[in-house]
């Protein structure tokens, strides 16, 4: 019985669930604006980009302009030393990550361009160009990205303030502020 339980645990912890393993999720919390003060779930790129070696208690999440970030940015000066929020589409995930890195961004969060996507995570992979990126690249559900951008637009704000990464294992379940539109 113990051997069967151990095997089941190893299988569940190492087998992909919808293409992801449990330990590949990364969490961040929006601190401002207050109407979206939730903990969001993201996934790291599969085979490119860096990792978070630092926990940022308060850092700006700056929506890229243009949103797809496939070339020169109109607001690149605001991305330097911050985290960029980018939309999927127009070019590869790696290309977007490199654009943000070239503008001095500390990381990039790429939101799905399907605004109704509230449950399907895309596996971001290398684009076969042999290029690399050093900053962390994360994938965010389309609904979450849309709600963050919408809140910023409604408040006339150029960026959100976030904390990243967040260790959700240290937060009691009843205190976890999750977006009401997302099932955990």
């Amino acid at each position: 019985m113990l051997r069967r339980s151990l095997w089941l645990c190893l299988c569940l912890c190492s087998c992909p669930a919808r293409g992801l393993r449990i330990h590949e999720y990364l969490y961040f919390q929006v601190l401002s604006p207050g109407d979206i003060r939730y903990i969001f779930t993201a996934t790291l790129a599969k085979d490119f980009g860096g990792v978070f070696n630092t926990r940022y208690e308060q850092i700006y999440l700056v929506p890229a302009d243009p949103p797809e970030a496939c070339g020169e940015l109109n607001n690149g000066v605001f991305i330097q030393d911050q985290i960029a929020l980018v939309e999927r589409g127009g070019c590869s995930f790696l290309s977007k990550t490199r654009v943000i890195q070239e503008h001095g961004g500390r990381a990039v969060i790429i939101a799905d361009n399907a605004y109704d996507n509230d449950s399907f995570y895309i596996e971001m992979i290398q684009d076969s160009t042999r290029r690399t990126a050093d900053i962390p690249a994360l994938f965010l559900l389309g609904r979450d990205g849309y709600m963050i951008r919408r809140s910023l637009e409604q408040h006339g704000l150029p960026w959100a303030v976030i904390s990243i990464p967040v260790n959700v294992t240290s937060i009691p379940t009843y205190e976890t502020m999750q977006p009401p539109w997302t099932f955990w």
Side-chain angles (χ1 to χ4, degrees):
M1 183 68 170
L2 180 60
R3 185 176 291 167
R4 181 179 285 164
S5 297
L6 181 58
W7 177 84
L8 182 60
C9 178
L10 288 173
C11 183
L12 289 175
C13 293
S14 62
C15 294
R18 284 186 294 176
L20 299 173
R21 290 181 298 275
I22 293 169
H23 68 277
E24 291 182 357
Y25 291 101
L26 187 134
Y27 304 91
F28 68 94
Q29 182 175 18
V30 173
L31 304 173
S32 172
D35 63 328
I36 54 165
R37 191 177 169 97
Y38 301 117
I39 294 177
F40 293 89
T41 305
T43 57
L44 284 165
K46 180 179 178 180
D47 58 2
F48 69 89
V51 296
F52 279 95
N53 294 319
T54 303
R55 181 171 193 278
Y56 299 101
E57 295 290 334
Q58 291 189 353
I59 191 165
Y60 293 143
L61 178 63
V62 182
D65 179 24
E68 291 180 343
C70 292
E72 191 60 33
L73 300 177
N74 298 326
N75 65 339
V77 67
F78 297 111
I79 297 219
Q80 185 169 353
D81 293 323
Q82 307 304 324
I83 296 176
L85 177 62
V86 171
E87 262 187 41
R88 178 181 177 206
C91 61
S92 71
F93 294 118
L94 178 58
S95 294
K96 295 171 184 301
T97 303
R98 289 182 52 87
V99 166
I100 299 306
Q101 180 175 302
E102 289 165 6
H103 282 85
R106 300 214 179 184
V108 60
I109 297 175
I110 302 171
D112 196 355
N113 56 0
Y115 300 147
D116 60 345
N117 177 9
D118 60 2
S119 60
F120 183 70
Y121 288 91
I122 306 261
E123 193 170 73
M124 297 192 308
I125 59 172
Q126 168 62 264
D127 64 7
S128 72
T129 61
R130 297 188 183 170
R131 298 176 300 165
T132 61
D134 300 319
I135 64 170
L138 297 102
F139 182 82
L140 181 65
L141 296 174
R143 173 70 54 93
D144 293 344
Y146 169 76
M147 296 301 278
I148 291 170
R149 275 192 229 85
R150 187 180 85 170
S151 176
L152 293 176
E153 289 172 9
Q154 287 176 340
H155 294 287
L157 297 172
W159 50 67
V161 179
I162 66 170
S163 177
I164 189 168
V166 172
N167 181 358
V168 296
T169 61
S170 65
I171 302 172
T173 306
Y174 64 88
E175 289 183 15
T176 306
M177 293 293 296
Q178 55 198 8
W181 56 86
T182 303
F183 294 106
W184 281 35

